[in-house]
């Protein structure tokens, strides 16, 4: 497994503060950013083969114990699916970065893609990090969210006013049975969460906050950078334009007033957007390998009686 670190990613904090910021921090050069991107892409290409042969937790491992929290959807499945999702999105990002004749890397869509990569990598790390109690609660929160989203999907069909005209009565009955089973699962998991002292549901932003704190307990720049990329990616995925206030852009005045704003990706944008989920996934894969292995047994110390001193 590659071992690398891209370094503390630096957020773009707006043109109005850039001059003061640059006086305090040495900005990476384009060559340095390109080297970081290449290093991340190389790591992702090395991880792609992992999805072909997933390895189950060994008996007696931490992850095997975590799987007993909710066997119908074990923690190892939750973590591994998130890992493969992150690799999938990062691999598509690598395809874009390595494509021939790429002139402009779409500045909105790329951030949306990397947001999905960060979400998968963070979910994997979130359920693999922390104490056994923390991992149990986190896994249960994702189980509850999975069931709730699946039930919402099924109910969209059940509540459709024309569905009975297009499907059989048996199919509708099957959907209703799935709805009932999911409701039972949601109720049981929520009860278990309350028993463990947790009253709120899954929140992706809280998960990212926890992951950023885990990744950078003594590196506030990196912690803020991870949160910065999450917020930028969310804005891009939801078609929000507020990030334009914090990016390099070119304004062209219009005759009738106002201006047209144009912007594109920069090497810094790409390095930060691609590097953040890659760093998180690297940590998640390291923890996966540690958690799934049974701890090595230390042989007992064999004590031998010391020979008694004799006089000659």
């Amino acid at each position: 497994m590659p071992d690398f670190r891209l370094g503390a990613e630096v957020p773009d904090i707006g043109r109005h503060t850039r001059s003061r910021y640059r006086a305090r921090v040495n900005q990476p050069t384009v060559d340095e950013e390109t080297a970081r991107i290449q290093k991340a892409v190389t790591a992702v290409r090395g991880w792609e083969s992992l999805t072909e042969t997933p390895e189950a937790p060994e008996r007696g491992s931490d992850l095997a114990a975590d799987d007993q929290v909710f066997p119908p959807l074990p923690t190892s499945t939750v973590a591994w699916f998130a890992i493969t999702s992150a690799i999938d999105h990062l691999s598509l990002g690598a395809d874009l970065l390595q494509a021939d004749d790429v002139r402009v890397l779409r500045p909105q869509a790329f951030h949306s893609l990397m947001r999905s990569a960060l979400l998968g990598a963070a979910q994997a790390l979130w359920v693999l990090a922390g104490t056994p109690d923390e991992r149990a609660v986190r896994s249960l929160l994702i189980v509850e969210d999975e069931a709730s989203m699946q039930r919402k999907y099924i109910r969209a069909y059940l509540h459709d006013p024309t569905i009975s005209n297009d499907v059989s009565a048996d199919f509708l009955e099957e959907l209703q049975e799935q709805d009932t089973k999911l409701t039972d699962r949601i109720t049981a998991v929520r009860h278990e969460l309350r028993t463990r002292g947790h009253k709120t549901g899954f929140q992706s932003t809280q998960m990212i906050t926890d992951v950023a704190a885990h990744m950078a307990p003594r590196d506030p720049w990196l912690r803020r950078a991870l949160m910065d990329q999450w917020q930028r990616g969310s804005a891009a995925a939801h078609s929000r334009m507020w990030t334009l206030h914090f990016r390099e852009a070119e304004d062209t005045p219009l005759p009738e007033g106002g201006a047209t704003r144009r912007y594109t990706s920069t090497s810094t944008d790409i390095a930060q957007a691609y590097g953040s989920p890659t760093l998180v996934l690297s940590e998640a894969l390291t923890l996966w390998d540690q958690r799934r292995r049974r701890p090595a047994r230390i042989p007992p110390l064999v004590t031998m009686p010391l020979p008694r001193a004799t006089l000659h």
Side-chain angles (χ1 to χ4, degrees):
M1 185 178 303
D3 180 21
F4 73 102
R5 176 180 172 83
L6 300 184
E9 304 300 345
V10 180
D12 183 350
I13 55 177
R15 288 177 294 172
H16 59 289
T17 58
R18 243 177 239 131
S19 59
R20 287 182 296 165
Y21 172 72
R22 283 174 176 160
R24 294 171 49 235
V25 179
N26 293 325
Q27 290 279 46
T29 66
V30 172
D31 288 343
E32 289 172 336
E33 298 286 27
T34 301
R36 291 180 177 183
I37 295 168
Q38 184 58 56
K39 198 171 187 179
V41 168
T42 300
V44 170
R45 292 306 191 198
W47 295 334
E48 288 174 337
S49 61
L50 297 176
T51 61
E52 301 171 5
T53 55
E55 297 177 303
E58 296 178 355
R59 183 177 299 179
S61 65
D62 289 345
L63 196 50
D66 292 343
D67 283 352
Q68 298 308 307
V69 172
F70 193 79
L73 185 54
T75 301
S76 60
T77 299
V78 170
W80 189 252
F81 186 85
I83 286 171
T84 58
S85 176
I87 292 175
D88 195 38
H89 288 89
L90 285 169
S91 293
L92 180 55
D95 291 344
L96 293 171
L97 291 167
Q98 293 182 321
D100 294 334
D101 301 324
V102 175
R103 296 182 180 179
V104 178
L105 195 64
R106 294 170 177 81
Q108 298 184 69
F110 192 74
H111 278 275
S112 298
L113 178 65
M114 290 304 101
R115 180 211 189 233
S116 297
L118 181 57
L119 192 62
Q123 178 174 304
L125 179 55
W126 197 53
V127 299
L128 291 169
T131 66
D133 287 341
E134 287 174 330
R135 300 198 301 271
V137 167
R138 292 168 178 177
S139 185
L140 287 169
L141 284 170
I142 292 176
V143 168
E144 191 274 341
D145 193 62
E146 284 273 4
S148 295
M149 293 297 101
Q150 185 178 351
R151 184 177 66 173
K152 185 177 180 179
Y153 173 78
I154 289 174
R155 287 183 175 179
Y157 282 97
L158 288 173
H159 297 163
D160 187 291
T162 64
I163 188 68
S164 60
N165 299 329
D166 301 319
V167 300
S168 67
D170 290 342
F171 181 75
L172 286 176
E173 183 178 353
E174 182 180 342
L175 285 181
Q176 189 60 60
E177 289 176 355
Q178 290 184 32
D179 180 272
T180 301
K181 291 179 180 178
L182 288 168
T183 298
D184 292 342
R185 171 173 290 191
I186 292 168
T187 300
V189 173
R190 287 177 178 174
H191 174 74
E192 178 64 21
L193 284 168
R194 287 194 298 271
T195 300
R196 292 174 177 268
H198 198 92
K199 298 180 180 180
T200 60
F202 172 78
Q203 297 176 346
S204 57
T205 298
Q206 182 59 52
M207 177 181 71
I208 299 294
T209 301
D210 293 340
V211 165
H214 172 88
M215 289 290 298
R218 291 173 296 279
D219 189 345
W221 274 113
L222 177 56
R223 174 179 54 78
R224 285 191 290 264
L226 290 171
M227 294 302 301
D228 176 84
Q229 290 307 306
W230 170 249
Q231 294 175 35
R232 287 170 182 266
S234 295
H238 292 89
S239 300
R240 294 294 178 262
M241 64 182 74
W242 61 262
T243 57
L244 290 176
H245 296 287
F246 303 94
R247 303 185 67 172
E248 296 282 3
E250 179 182 338
D251 294 343
T252 303
L254 297 173
E256 63 275 15
T260 299
R261 172 163 287 188
R262 295 181 175 86
Y263 70 101
T264 186
S265 296
T266 65
S267 59
T268 299
D269 287 336
I270 297 170
Q272 292 180 182
Y274 198 79
S276 295
T278 306
L279 280 170
V280 175
L281 181 57
S282 178
E283 177 70 8
L285 286 169
T286 298
L287 271 181
W288 168 269
D289 197 52
Q290 293 174 357
R291 297 285 189 212
R292 75 170 189 83
R293 294 184 184 278
R294 181 175 60 251
R297 293 187 62 185
I298 301 176
L301 178 64
V302 178
T303 58
M304 297 293 291
L306 293 176
R308 300 183 67 176
T310 59
L311 296 176
H312 295 284

